[in-house]
Amino acid sequence: MQVNINFDQTYSPLTLANDLTVMTFESPQIDGSVQEILILISPHPDPLLPGVFNLGFGPPDGNGAFKDNVRLKHANLNIVFSTVLLLGLAFLEQNPMATIGIDGSDDLRARFYHRMYKSNKTYLNDYFVAIGVDWYVRIFRDGDYEKDEKGYPVAKPRPEPFDYERDNKDLYRYYMFRLKN
């Protein structure tokens, strides 16, 4: 399934926070029903990713968050994802030093985001710089690896320019974008 992003074709907000970190909209479903979608933009919790804001979305859970494990059948995925990314663009225009990140809650969704980046490269390149993030554990020359105070390996993010030649099976752990200069 391929998604085509077009910022001229989006759903209107039901609600929109002044700081552009919260938005809701209604998405028609294939069965004729309408599902409210909540988009949240919040600081990424990893201190090794400063200035990164996570963008997540899904049906509201009733407690100010969203359910990210629900499988919906949107009537138009193009408009849903264009709406979500348009909020990301508006947030970045208001916060130009920030970076937005999206994380698939499972491999299926991460694969979807990977394909979305690749298939919309030309369009999104007018707005964003795409970034892929892998995590690594540093191995020292003596064969030992970097550990925390409890002896667990320390995983660190390694952002890199998104590799559009990277296979859809070789997923990044996290997908980010920032404003194009």
Side-chain angles (χ1 to χ4, degrees), residues 6-42:
N6 182 340
F7 293 143
D8 293 324
Q9 295 179 2
T10 60
Y11 293 120
S12 298
L14 290 174
T15 62
L16 179 61
N18 289 338
D19 65 359
L20 304 176
T21 59
V22 181
M23 180 177 138
T24 60
F25 65 93
E26 290 182 331
S27 173
Q29 302 297 295
I30 290 174
D31 67 5
S33 66
V34 175
Q35 175 64 59
E36 183 177 345
I37 301 296
L38 171 65
I39 309 171
L40 295 175
I41 298 176
S42 56

